[in-house]
Amino acid sequence: MVKENNNTISKKEQRTRLLEIISVFRKYDVLLNFVRQRNPHKVKIAFEELGVTFIKIGQMLSTRSDLVSPEFIEEFRQLQDNVTEDPFPVVEKIIKKQTGRSVSELFKHFTEKPFASASIGQTHLAELKDGTRVAVKVQHKNVREIVETDLVLFEQALTILKFAPDSSVIDIRKTLFEIKRALLDEIDTMTEAKNGSEFYKLNNGQGIIQVPRFYPDLSVQGMLVSEYMPGKSIRERLPKPQEEASEQILQQQKEERHFLAQALIQNFIKQVFTDHFFHADPHPGNILFTRLKDTKGQAAAEPKFSHQFGKTRVAVGKIKALPPYRLTYLDFGMMGHLSASLADGIANVIIAINTKDIREIGQALLIICDRAGVVDEEEFYAQLGLFLTPYLQSGLGEIDFPTLLFRIIQLCRDNNLRIKSEVTLLVKAFGLIEGLVVQLEPDISMVDVARPFAREYLWRKFNVQNEIENSVFNFWRAFTATPQIPVKIGKFLDVLTQGRAQLKFSYKNQESLLQRVEGMINKLVTAIILAATIVGSSLLVQAGAGNSFVYNLGVGGYILTVSVVILMIVNTLYKRYKAWRKRRRERK
């Protein structure tokens, strides 16, 4: 629960808010619709009624094709913040409270009207004392307390509504955990400042890529100060239908879009395979396009060859003049980290897709998944083959990537496999970049461009000395084992001739079949016992004509037999009813 302070929401306000959440959830049947992934429009309306926290949850889910279906993603993308701007006096008080200093003490100039505003905060243009132009992002009043309280009340609402339906489509508890983690990270401005500074070191000045510099000495929780980067969203450079211009200008624009697409792809792949630290939300609103006025002397090295010798990396390339425009990344609240082993696994998946070998693709996928239970690998390969074959025969433009990803994740879940969260975040970022690149240059395939980078990455990981040592060791083992082959064959024949050989085998769905056989045997034994009880009871009734005790004992046997038969019938009908209800829910 939120700690007690001057900004804490009172108990009365919490109770009122909890009742509001429960009321809206019941009104739109939010939980059942969400778990069953149906009626996304109703869920979207409910989130809009519940305000900032739930709007932000919906916006986050619109980028998580590993958690919700494509229909929900499309609906959640339409969620709008609709948050009014905080007046300047409120902003002044927030800055004073968070930093202990006034606006005039921190900045030479501060623009009162923000140039951008969203559910979490708003951004103002300002100047530092030395005249440097900066962007100052200020969180709305009490936004952290509101979000934290709403998340706690959300969990309480689930308990009060006694929500516990099982679903093979959506795991509501896992989804809530992912939402909480992502949302709390996003409202933590110090985490964003740290991420931005790291991304700046790794990517600023890489070709046409720019990253704003952050000022950690001025940034505090609730206020983030970074270098101001002018420009417009890259969506302004996307081709427009029926655009009227001369043939020369249209050709220049086409070449420019091709260069932008190449730059985005190469930088993103560098983030993944070289840095292992990537921007997880690269939508067009977070990438600015800026045309420069003066580009004299501006150039970048284009590497052609690089190799690691011990602790020293040697790179050979040529200097290439840069075009008069730049791309700028913004918003570092959602970033992805990869371990070296996981990056290896992803590179193997990309290379396996190139081979179109289903078994190789399946083996590569198993490496980047966690096992949640027993996995029948052969069955997984078979299902993967049936699912992937049509996609491998399709062109890039014909593939619906959100649907493809959602179905792959469902296939993994059905086989007790869980794709690592880092991978789903990467695939989501990959999908956003892919969608942007296809609009800029429809003829470019990110998979085709990523493939040589993946090969180069694995080649860099390749250690010649280790491979030679392993090969020599394996050759020596094979050489020493070869003379033993006739001896082992002789021992095997001795075992066969002496009758000591044992043959063990297993078959598909062995456990399920054994359980069914066991159930049938139990029913057969029960039927034999009941038949014996009926025969015994009949003998007792006949023999007890003059003895009431023996007679009653026989009648009791009849009653017991009939009761057991009725219970068995009721139990069978109940199981069939449950199976019918389950099939009906799945069809819905």
Side-chain angles (χ1 to χ4, degrees), residues 68-115:
V68 295
S69 67
E71 292 77 17
F72 267 73
I73 287 175
E74 187 61 33
E75 197 69 38
F76 284 160
R77 281 177 179 167
Q78 302 172 30
L79 282 166
Q80 301 297 322
D81 290 333
N82 295 327
V83 176
T84 57
E85 299 173 358
D86 287 336
F88 183 62
V90 174
V91 174
E92 282 186 305
K93 289 180 181 179
I94 293 173
I95 293 176
K96 175 72 174 177
K97 179 181 178 183
Q98 297 301 116
T99 65
R101 291 187 286 175
S102 65
V103 171
S104 59
E105 290 176 319
L106 291 168
F107 305 101
K108 179 181 179 180
H109 175 72
F110 192 95
T111 305
E112 295 187 5
K113 185 173 179 59
F115 65 83

Short mmCIF file of all heavy atoms in Angstrom, two decimals, residues 68-115:
data_model
loop_
_atom_site.label_atom_id
_atom_site.label_comp_id
_atom_site.label_asym_id
_atom_site.label_seq_id
_atom_site.Cartn_x
_atom_site.Cartn_y
_atom_site.Cartn_z
N VAL A 68 -1.93 -10.28 -25.25
CA VAL A 68 -3.31 -10.14 -25.71
C VAL A 68 -3.40 -10.42 -27.20
O VAL A 68 -2.39 -10.40 -27.91
CB VAL A 68 -3.87 -8.72 -25.40
CG1 VAL A 68 -3.97 -8.49 -23.91
CG2 VAL A 68 -3.00 -7.64 -26.04
N SER A 69 -4.62 -10.64 -27.66
CA SER A 69 -4.85 -11.01 -29.06
C SER A 69 -4.73 -9.79 -29.97
O SER A 69 -4.81 -8.64 -29.51
CB SER A 69 -6.25 -11.62 -29.21
OG SER A 69 -7.23 -10.62 -28.97
N PRO A 70 -4.55 -9.99 -31.28
CA PRO A 70 -4.45 -8.87 -32.22
C PRO A 70 -5.67 -7.95 -32.19
O PRO A 70 -5.54 -6.75 -32.40
CB PRO A 70 -4.31 -9.57 -33.58
CG PRO A 70 -3.69 -10.89 -33.25
CD PRO A 70 -4.26 -11.29 -31.92
N GLU A 71 -6.87 -8.51 -31.95
CA GLU A 71 -8.08 -7.69 -31.89
C GLU A 71 -8.02 -6.70 -30.73
O GLU A 71 -8.39 -5.53 -30.86
CB GLU A 71 -9.32 -8.58 -31.76
CG GLU A 71 -9.64 -9.43 -32.98
CD GLU A 71 -8.74 -10.65 -33.11
OE1 GLU A 71 -8.09 -11.02 -32.09
OE2 GLU A 71 -8.67 -11.23 -34.20
N PHE A 72 -7.53 -7.16 -29.57
CA PHE A 72 -7.40 -6.27 -28.42
C PHE A 72 -6.30 -5.23 -28.67
O PHE A 72 -6.43 -4.07 -28.25
CB PHE A 72 -7.09 -7.08 -27.15
CG PHE A 72 -8.31 -7.45 -26.38
CD1 PHE A 72 -9.17 -8.44 -26.85
CD2 PHE A 72 -8.64 -6.83 -25.19
CE1 PHE A 72 -10.31 -8.79 -26.16
CE2 PHE A 72 -9.78 -7.17 -24.48
CZ PHE A 72 -10.62 -8.15 -24.96
N ILE A 73 -5.22 -5.64 -29.32
CA ILE A 73 -4.14 -4.69 -29.63
C ILE A 73 -4.67 -3.55 -30.48
O ILE A 73 -4.40 -2.37 -30.21
CB ILE A 73 -2.99 -5.43 -30.35
CG1 ILE A 73 -2.23 -6.32 -29.35
CG2 ILE A 73 -2.03 -4.45 -31.02
CD1 ILE A 73 -1.16 -7.17 -29.98
N GLU A 74 -5.42 -3.89 -31.51
CA GLU A 74 -5.96 -2.86 -32.41
C GLU A 74 -6.90 -1.92 -31.66
O GLU A 74 -6.88 -0.70 -31.87
CB GLU A 74 -6.70 -3.54 -33.57
CG GLU A 74 -7.15 -2.59 -34.66
CD GLU A 74 -6.00 -1.85 -35.31
OE1 GLU A 74 -4.89 -2.43 -35.43
OE2 GLU A 74 -6.20 -0.67 -35.68
N GLU A 75 -7.72 -2.45 -30.76
CA GLU A 75 -8.67 -1.62 -30.01
C GLU A 75 -7.94 -0.73 -29.00
O GLU A 75 -8.26 0.46 -28.86
CB GLU A 75 -9.67 -2.53 -29.29
CG GLU A 75 -10.93 -1.81 -28.81
CD GLU A 75 -11.82 -1.36 -29.96
OE1 GLU A 75 -11.96 -2.10 -30.95
OE2 GLU A 75 -12.40 -0.27 -29.85
N PHE A 76 -6.95 -1.30 -28.30
CA PHE A 76 -6.23 -0.54 -27.29
C PHE A 76 -5.38 0.57 -27.91
O PHE A 76 -5.04 1.55 -27.23
CB PHE A 76 -5.34 -1.46 -26.45
CG PHE A 76 -6.09 -2.27 -25.43
CD1 PHE A 76 -5.53 -3.43 -24.89
CD2 PHE A 76 -7.34 -1.89 -25.01
CE1 PHE A 76 -6.21 -4.17 -23.94
CE2 PHE A 76 -8.04 -2.64 -24.08
CZ PHE A 76 -7.48 -3.78 -23.54
N ARG A 77 -4.99 0.41 -29.16
CA ARG A 77 -4.21 1.47 -29.82
C ARG A 77 -5.02 2.75 -29.97
O ARG A 77 -4.45 3.83 -30.17
CB ARG A 77 -3.75 0.98 -31.20
CG ARG A 77 -2.55 0.07 -31.16
CD ARG A 77 -2.20 -0.44 -32.54
NE ARG A 77 -1.01 -1.30 -32.49
CZ ARG A 77 -0.62 -2.08 -33.48
NH1 ARG A 77 -1.32 -2.13 -34.61
NH2 ARG A 77 0.47 -2.82 -33.37
N GLN A 78 -6.34 2.66 -29.89
CA GLN A 78 -7.20 3.82 -30.05
C GLN A 78 -7.41 4.58 -28.74
O GLN A 78 -8.08 5.61 -28.71
CB GLN A 78 -8.55 3.39 -30.61
CG GLN A 78 -8.46 2.67 -31.95
CD GLN A 78 -9.78 2.08 -32.39
OE1 GLN A 78 -10.85 2.60 -32.06
NE2 GLN A 78 -9.74 0.99 -33.14
N LEU A 79 -6.85 4.05 -27.64
CA LEU A 79 -7.00 4.73 -26.35
C LEU A 79 -6.26 6.06 -26.38
O LEU A 79 -5.09 6.14 -26.76
CB LEU A 79 -6.45 3.85 -25.22
CG LEU A 79 -7.36 2.72 -24.74
CD1 LEU A 79 -6.57 1.75 -23.87
CD2 LEU A 79 -8.55 3.27 -23.97
N GLN A 80 -6.91 7.11 -25.95
CA GLN A 80 -6.31 8.44 -25.89
C GLN A 80 -6.21 8.89 -24.44
O GLN A 80 -7.05 8.56 -23.60
CB GLN A 80 -7.15 9.45 -26.69
CG GLN A 80 -7.30 9.08 -28.16
CD GLN A 80 -5.97 9.07 -28.89
OE1 GLN A 80 -5.11 9.91 -28.64
NE2 GLN A 80 -5.80 8.12 -29.80
N ASP A 81 -5.15 9.68 -24.16
CA ASP A 81 -4.92 10.11 -22.78
C ASP A 81 -6.01 11.05 -22.27
O ASP A 81 -6.51 10.89 -21.16
CB ASP A 81 -3.56 10.82 -22.66
CG ASP A 81 -2.41 9.84 -22.81
OD1 ASP A 81 -2.61 8.65 -22.49
OD2 ASP A 81 -1.33 10.25 -23.25
N ASN A 82 -6.38 12.04 -23.09
CA ASN A 82 -7.41 13.01 -22.69
C ASN A 82 -7.13 13.61 -21.31
O ASN A 82 -8.01 13.73 -20.47
CB ASN A 82 -8.81 12.35 -22.68
CG ASN A 82 -9.23 11.91 -24.08
OD1 ASN A 82 -8.89 12.56 -25.06
ND2 ASN A 82 -9.95 10.81 -24.16
N VAL A 83 -5.87 13.95 -21.07
CA VAL A 83 -5.48 14.53 -19.78
C VAL A 83 -5.26 16.02 -19.96
O VAL A 83 -4.55 16.45 -20.87
CB VAL A 83 -4.19 13.86 -19.25
CG1 VAL A 83 -3.74 14.52 -17.96
CG2 VAL A 83 -4.44 12.38 -19.02
N THR A 84 -5.87 16.81 -19.10
CA THR A 84 -5.68 18.25 -19.19
C THR A 84 -4.29 18.63 -18.70
O THR A 84 -3.71 17.97 -17.84
CB THR A 84 -6.74 18.98 -18.34
OG1 THR A 84 -6.64 18.51 -16.98
CG2 THR A 84 -8.14 18.69 -18.85
N GLU A 85 -3.75 19.69 -19.27
CA GLU A 85 -2.42 20.15 -18.87
C GLU A 85 -2.49 20.79 -17.48
O GLU A 85 -3.45 21.45 -17.12
CB GLU A 85 -1.91 21.19 -19.88
CG GLU A 85 -1.76 20.65 -21.29
CD GLU A 85 -1.41 21.75 -22.28
OE1 GLU A 85 -1.34 22.92 -21.85
OE2 GLU A 85 -1.23 21.45 -23.47
N ASP A 86 -1.44 20.57 -16.70
CA ASP A 86 -1.33 21.24 -15.41
C ASP A 86 -0.99 22.71 -15.64
O ASP A 86 -0.08 23.02 -16.44
CB ASP A 86 -0.23 20.60 -14.56
CG ASP A 86 -0.62 19.24 -14.02
OD1 ASP A 86 -1.84 18.99 -13.91
OD2 ASP A 86 0.28 18.43 -13.74
N PRO A 87 -1.66 23.64 -14.98
CA PRO A 87 -1.30 25.06 -15.12
C PRO A 87 0.11 25.31 -14.57
O PRO A 87 0.61 24.54 -13.75
CB PRO A 87 -2.37 25.78 -14.30
CG PRO A 87 -2.93 24.75 -13.38
CD PRO A 87 -2.79 23.44 -14.08
N PHE A 88 0.73 26.38 -15.01
CA PHE A 88 2.11 26.64 -14.66
C PHE A 88 2.33 26.76 -13.14
O PHE A 88 3.35 26.26 -12.64
CB PHE A 88 2.60 27.91 -15.37
CG PHE A 88 4.05 28.20 -15.11
CD1 PHE A 88 5.04 27.31 -15.51
CD2 PHE A 88 4.43 29.36 -14.45
CE1 PHE A 88 6.38 27.57 -15.28
CE2 PHE A 88 5.77 29.63 -14.21
CZ PHE A 88 6.75 28.73 -14.63
N PRO A 89 1.44 27.40 -12.38
CA PRO A 89 1.65 27.46 -10.92
C PRO A 89 1.77 26.06 -10.29
O PRO A 89 2.55 25.86 -9.37
CB PRO A 89 0.42 28.21 -10.41
CG PRO A 89 -0.01 29.06 -11.56
CD PRO A 89 0.27 28.22 -12.77
N VAL A 90 0.98 25.09 -10.80
CA VAL A 90 1.06 23.72 -10.29
C VAL A 90 2.42 23.11 -10.64
O VAL A 90 3.06 22.45 -9.81
CB VAL A 90 -0.08 22.86 -10.86
CG1 VAL A 90 0.09 21.40 -10.46
CG2 VAL A 90 -1.43 23.39 -10.40
N VAL A 91 2.88 23.35 -11.87
CA VAL A 91 4.19 22.84 -12.29
C VAL A 91 5.29 23.43 -11.41
O VAL A 91 6.22 22.71 -11.00
CB VAL A 91 4.43 23.19 -13.78
CG1 VAL A 91 5.85 22.80 -14.20
CG2 VAL A 91 3.41 22.48 -14.66
N GLU A 92 5.20 24.72 -11.13
CA GLU A 92 6.21 25.37 -10.27
C GLU A 92 6.27 24.71 -8.89
O GLU A 92 7.36 24.45 -8.35
CB GLU A 92 5.87 26.86 -10.10
CG GLU A 92 6.25 27.72 -11.29
CD GLU A 92 6.04 29.19 -11.00
OE1 GLU A 92 4.89 29.55 -10.63
OE2 GLU A 92 6.98 29.99 -11.14
N LYS A 93 5.10 24.43 -8.33
CA LYS A 93 5.05 23.80 -6.99
C LYS A 93 5.65 22.40 -7.03
O LYS A 93 6.36 21.99 -6.11
CB LYS A 93 3.60 23.75 -6.50
CG LYS A 93 3.03 25.11 -6.12
CD LYS A 93 1.59 24.98 -5.63
CE LYS A 93 1.01 26.34 -5.28
NZ LYS A 93 -0.40 26.25 -4.82
N ILE A 94 5.35 21.64 -8.10
CA ILE A 94 5.89 20.27 -8.22
C ILE A 94 7.41 20.31 -8.29
O ILE A 94 8.10 19.55 -7.60
CB ILE A 94 5.30 19.57 -9.46
CG1 ILE A 94 3.79 19.34 -9.28
CG2 ILE A 94 6.00 18.23 -9.71
CD1 ILE A 94 3.10 18.81 -10.53
N ILE A 95 7.96 21.21 -9.13
CA ILE A 95 9.42 21.32 -9.27
C ILE A 95 10.05 21.75 -7.96
O ILE A 95 11.09 21.21 -7.54
CB ILE A 95 9.77 22.31 -10.41
CG1 ILE A 95 9.32 21.73 -11.75
CG2 ILE A 95 11.27 22.61 -10.42
CD1 ILE A 95 9.54 22.67 -12.93
N LYS A 96 9.44 22.71 -7.29
CA LYS A 96 9.96 23.19 -5.99
C LYS A 96 9.96 22.07 -4.97
O LYS A 96 10.95 21.88 -4.21
CB LYS A 96 9.10 24.36 -5.50
CG LYS A 96 9.46 24.89 -4.12
CD LYS A 96 10.75 25.65 -4.14
CE LYS A 96 11.01 26.30 -2.79
NZ LYS A 96 12.31 27.01 -2.73
N LYS A 97 8.90 21.29 -4.95
CA LYS A 97 8.80 20.21 -3.97
C LYS A 97 9.81 19.10 -4.26
O LYS A 97 10.43 18.54 -3.36
CB LYS A 97 7.38 19.64 -3.98
CG LYS A 97 7.20 18.49 -3.01
CD LYS A 97 5.80 17.96 -3.08
CE LYS A 97 5.64 16.78 -2.14
NZ LYS A 97 4.30 16.19 -2.22
N GLN A 98 10.00 18.76 -5.55
CA GLN A 98 10.87 17.63 -5.91
C GLN A 98 12.36 17.98 -5.83
O GLN A 98 13.18 17.13 -5.53
CB GLN A 98 10.55 17.14 -7.32
CG GLN A 98 9.13 16.59 -7.51
CD GLN A 98 8.83 15.43 -6.59
OE1 GLN A 98 7.96 15.51 -5.74
NE2 GLN A 98 9.56 14.34 -6.73
N THR A 99 12.69 19.23 -6.12
CA THR A 99 14.10 19.61 -6.16
C THR A 99 14.55 20.47 -4.99
O THR A 99 15.75 20.56 -4.70
CB THR A 99 14.40 20.40 -7.46
OG1 THR A 99 13.68 21.64 -7.45
CG2 THR A 99 13.99 19.59 -8.68
N GLY A 100 13.60 21.11 -4.33
CA GLY A 100 13.97 22.03 -3.24
C GLY A 100 14.39 23.39 -3.75
O GLY A 100 14.76 24.27 -2.95
N ARG A 101 14.33 23.60 -5.08
CA ARG A 101 14.70 24.88 -5.66
C ARG A 101 13.60 25.36 -6.60
O ARG A 101 12.86 24.57 -7.17
CB ARG A 101 16.03 24.77 -6.42
CG ARG A 101 17.23 24.54 -5.50
CD ARG A 101 18.54 24.61 -6.29
NE ARG A 101 18.75 23.42 -7.12
CZ ARG A 101 19.75 23.28 -7.96
NH1 ARG A 101 20.64 24.26 -8.11
NH2 ARG A 101 19.88 22.17 -8.66
N SER A 102 13.53 26.67 -6.77
CA SER A 102 12.50 27.25 -7.63
C SER A 102 12.90 27.11 -9.09
O SER A 102 14.05 26.81 -9.42
CB SER A 102 12.29 28.72 -7.29
OG SER A 102 13.46 29.47 -7.59
N VAL A 103 11.93 27.37 -9.98
CA VAL A 103 12.19 27.29 -11.42
C VAL A 103 13.26 28.30 -11.83
O VAL A 103 14.16 28.00 -12.62
CB VAL A 103 10.88 27.52 -12.21
CG1 VAL A 103 11.17 27.67 -13.70
CG2 VAL A 103 9.90 26.39 -11.97
N SER A 104 13.19 29.51 -11.28
CA SER A 104 14.16 30.55 -11.64
C SER A 104 15.56 30.21 -11.15
O SER A 104 16.55 30.64 -11.75
CB SER A 104 13.71 31.90 -11.07
OG SER A 104 13.59 31.83 -9.65
N GLU A 105 15.68 29.47 -10.07
CA GLU A 105 17.00 29.06 -9.58
C GLU A 105 17.62 27.98 -10.46
O GLU A 105 18.85 27.89 -10.58
CB GLU A 105 16.89 28.54 -8.14
CG GLU A 105 16.57 29.62 -7.12
CD GLU A 105 16.37 29.05 -5.73
OE1 GLU A 105 15.72 27.99 -5.60
OE2 GLU A 105 16.86 29.65 -4.76
N LEU A 106 16.79 27.16 -11.08
CA LEU A 106 17.29 26.04 -11.89
C LEU A 106 17.52 26.43 -13.34
O LEU A 106 18.46 25.93 -13.97
CB LEU A 106 16.29 24.88 -11.84
CG LEU A 106 16.15 24.15 -10.51
CD1 LEU A 106 14.94 23.23 -10.54
CD2 LEU A 106 17.40 23.34 -10.21
N PHE A 107 16.67 27.31 -13.89
CA PHE A 107 16.70 27.59 -15.32
C PHE A 107 16.78 29.09 -15.59
O PHE A 107 16.25 29.91 -14.84
CB PHE A 107 15.44 27.02 -15.99
CG PHE A 107 15.22 25.55 -15.73
CD1 PHE A 107 14.29 25.13 -14.78
CD2 PHE A 107 15.95 24.59 -16.42
CE1 PHE A 107 14.09 23.79 -14.53
CE2 PHE A 107 15.75 23.24 -16.18
CZ PHE A 107 14.82 22.83 -15.22
N LYS A 108 17.43 29.39 -16.71
CA LYS A 108 17.51 30.78 -17.16
C LYS A 108 16.17 31.22 -17.73
O LYS A 108 15.73 32.36 -17.56
CB LYS A 108 18.61 30.89 -18.22
CG LYS A 108 18.79 32.29 -18.80
CD LYS A 108 19.90 32.28 -19.85
CE LYS A 108 20.08 33.65 -20.47
NZ LYS A 108 21.16 33.65 -21.49
N HIS A 109 15.54 30.29 -18.45
CA HIS A 109 14.22 30.55 -19.03
C HIS A 109 13.41 29.26 -18.99
O HIS A 109 13.95 28.17 -19.20
CB HIS A 109 14.35 31.05 -20.47
CG HIS A 109 13.03 31.23 -21.17
ND1 HIS A 109 12.16 32.26 -20.86
CD2 HIS A 109 12.43 30.50 -22.15
CE1 HIS A 109 11.09 32.15 -21.62
NE2 HIS A 109 11.23 31.10 -22.41
N PHE A 110 12.11 29.37 -18.75
CA PHE A 110 11.23 28.19 -18.68
C PHE A 110 9.92 28.55 -19.35
O PHE A 110 9.20 29.47 -18.91
CB PHE A 110 11.00 27.79 -17.22
CG PHE A 110 10.36 26.44 -17.04
CD1 PHE A 110 11.13 25.31 -16.83
CD2 PHE A 110 8.98 26.30 -17.09
CE1 PHE A 110 10.56 24.07 -16.66
CE2 PHE A 110 8.39 25.05 -16.93
CZ PHE A 110 9.19 23.94 -16.71
N THR A 111 9.58 27.84 -20.43
CA THR A 111 8.34 28.11 -21.15
C THR A 111 7.15 27.58 -20.36
O THR A 111 7.11 26.41 -19.99
CB THR A 111 8.36 27.43 -22.54
OG1 THR A 111 9.52 27.86 -23.25
CG2 THR A 111 7.13 27.80 -23.34
N GLU A 112 6.20 28.47 -20.08
CA GLU A 112 5.08 28.09 -19.22
C GLU A 112 4.17 27.05 -19.87
O GLU A 112 3.67 26.16 -19.20
CB GLU A 112 4.27 29.33 -18.83
CG GLU A 112 5.04 30.32 -17.98
CD GLU A 112 4.17 31.45 -17.47
OE1 GLU A 112 2.94 31.40 -17.73
OE2 GLU A 112 4.70 32.36 -16.82
N LYS A 113 3.95 27.16 -21.18
CA LYS A 113 3.04 26.21 -21.86
C LYS A 113 3.84 25.02 -22.34
O LYS A 113 4.83 25.16 -23.05
CB LYS A 113 2.33 26.89 -23.02
CG LYS A 113 1.30 26.00 -23.70
CD LYS A 113 0.52 26.77 -24.73
CE LYS A 113 -0.52 25.87 -25.42
NZ LYS A 113 -1.48 25.29 -24.47
N PRO A 114 3.43 23.78 -22.01
CA PRO A 114 4.17 22.59 -22.46
C PRO A 114 3.99 22.37 -23.96
O PRO A 114 2.96 22.72 -24.53
CB PRO A 114 3.53 21.46 -21.66
CG PRO A 114 2.15 21.94 -21.36
CD PRO A 114 2.26 23.44 -21.18
N PHE A 115 5.01 21.81 -24.60
CA PHE A 115 4.88 21.49 -26.03
C PHE A 115 4.44 20.04 -26.24
O PHE A 115 4.19 19.61 -27.35
CB PHE A 115 6.19 21.77 -26.78
CG PHE A 115 7.36 20.91 -26.40
CD1 PHE A 115 7.53 19.64 -26.93
CD2 PHE A 115 8.30 21.38 -25.50
CE1 PHE A 115 8.61 18.85 -26.58
CE2 PHE A 115 9.39 20.60 -25.15
CZ PHE A 115 9.55 19.33 -25.69
#
